[in-house]
Amino acid sequence: MQIKTAKFVVSNQEVHKCPTNQLPEYAFIGRSNVGKSSLINMLTNQKSLAKTSGRPGKTQLINHFIINENWFLVDLPGYGYARVSKSAKKTFQKFITAYFRERKQLVSAFVLVDIRHKPQPVDLAFMQWLGEHGIPFSIVFTKADKLRPKSIEDHIDTYKNILLESWEEFPNHFITSSTNYAGKEALLNYIETINTDLENSTNKLPFQ
Ligand code: GDP
């Protein structure tokens, strides 16, 4: 897929204020500094559509961008555990879980992880949460330019082995780099294929 247009639409923290159009939408999420803004800018051929890290006090928002006037790319804030409650119960930020539970237009999520790091408990917990809630997702390994090909394979294998302890299959995944554009075509083609299937299906969209 060629991205011809990519425009910011709206930012907010409330699912009911997200766009009401019935366009398919794809959400990008990961820990802060994982390379999410760089990836979104790389995918959309823009320098600063998504704001890169380093801004102090960066507000946590659900950001909607409309792509080619026919699907939404959603930039979600870095997840972490919300402030630990008295009972020490750990949860993800409420508005993020509300978005995933309630947003009917959501077709699939992309969970970003830095390919250099061992699987992190918070990422695994988030994928587990998505699985438990029946939300389809792909893993996007970022910053692949920082590793040699053999090392990339080893890191993916480690991830796979850990996930297969609790999952039946290793989720769909992409190996990307915003520096050398690795994975760009594969990821955009994946979205395009789903969008085409949705357009051709009798139900049009899964959420209608
Ligand atoms: P965000 O907080 O997830 O939005 O992360 P950013 O996109 O702001 O990236 C965090 C840091 O990682 C920045 O210094 C980026 O320049 C760097 N970075 C992001 N993606 C890549 C990549 O693919 N390769 C390399 N080498 N650095 C990257």
Side-chain angles (χ1 to χ4, degrees):
M1 168 175 27
Q2 292 291 329
I3 293 197
K4 296 188 186 114
T5 57
K7 285 179 253 169
F8 169 74
V9 180
V10 68
S11 289
N12 64 72
Q13 266 199 343
E14 289 168 68
V15 192
H16 72 268
K17 289 189 185 159
C18 289
T20 51
N21 320 35
Q22 297 295 298
L23 293 175
E25 115 179 10
Y26 298 83
F28 288 72
I29 189 160
R31 275 180 302 136
S32 157
N33 223 36
V34 70
K36 180 167 50 72
S37 310
S38 305
L39 182 87
I40 292 172
N41 292 334
M42 183 270 271
L43 291 174
T44 55
N45 315 314
Q46 307 255 337
K47 282 211 174 78
S48 55
L49 187 67
K51 304 280 183 288
T52 44
S53 309
R55 285 193 304 146
K58 194 171 165 186
T59 321
Q60 294 229 316
L61 293 166
I62 301 168
N63 302 296
H64 272 77
F65 300 98
I66 189 158
I67 312 296
N68 291 347
E69 304 292 339
N70 77 344
W71 59 278
F72 283 118
L73 184 158
V74 180
D75 178 8
L76 292 172
Y79 53 65
Y81 290 121
R83 241 177 300 152
V84 178
S85 69
K86 276 184 190 150
S87 64
K89 189 174 164 238
K90 290 174 177 172
T91 48
F92 298 102
Q93 294 99 309
K94 274 217 172 72
F95 75 98
I96 294 183
T97 51
Y99 168 84
F100 281 106
R101 279 177 203 264
E102 293 168 32
R103 188 69 176 158
K104 296 203 166 36
Q105 289 89 333
L106 178 73
V107 175
S108 196
F110 293 98
V111 179
L112 277 60
V113 293
D114 189 322
I115 196 158
R116 297 169 299 169
H117 301 156
K118 281 195 214 133
Q120 302 288 307
V122 70
D123 293 322
L124 297 173
F126 191 69
M127 290 178 205
Q128 188 68 31
W129 186 89
L130 289 175
E132 283 164 7
H133 290 80
I135 296 153
F137 69 92
S138 299
I139 302 177
V140 177
F141 293 99
T142 62
K143 309 190 189 182
D145 59 285
K146 296 216 181 200
L147 294 181
R148 291 169 189 278
K150 173 74 180 93
S151 197
I152 291 179
E153 267 176 49
D154 292 346
H155 281 244
I156 304 276
D157 278 348
T158 307
Y159 227 97
K160 197 176 199 168
N161 291 336
I162 290 189
L163 278 185
L164 289 180
E165 286 171 11
S166 48
W167 292 77
E168 276 177 27
E169 285 177 30
F170 188 41
N172 183 39
H173 65 280
F174 298 93
I175 298 167
T176 69
S177 161
S178 303
T179 308
N180 66 19
Y181 302 92
K184 178 177 182 178
E185 209 178 322
L187 206 157
L188 290 178
N189 286 349
Y190 173 77
I191 294 175
E192 184 174 38
T193 304
I194 301 180
N195 284 346
T196 306
D197 284 352
L198 291 173
E199 279 163 21
N200 293 338
S201 79
T202 38
N203 285 335
K204 283 280 176 205
L205 293 168
F207 38 81
Q208 283 181 333

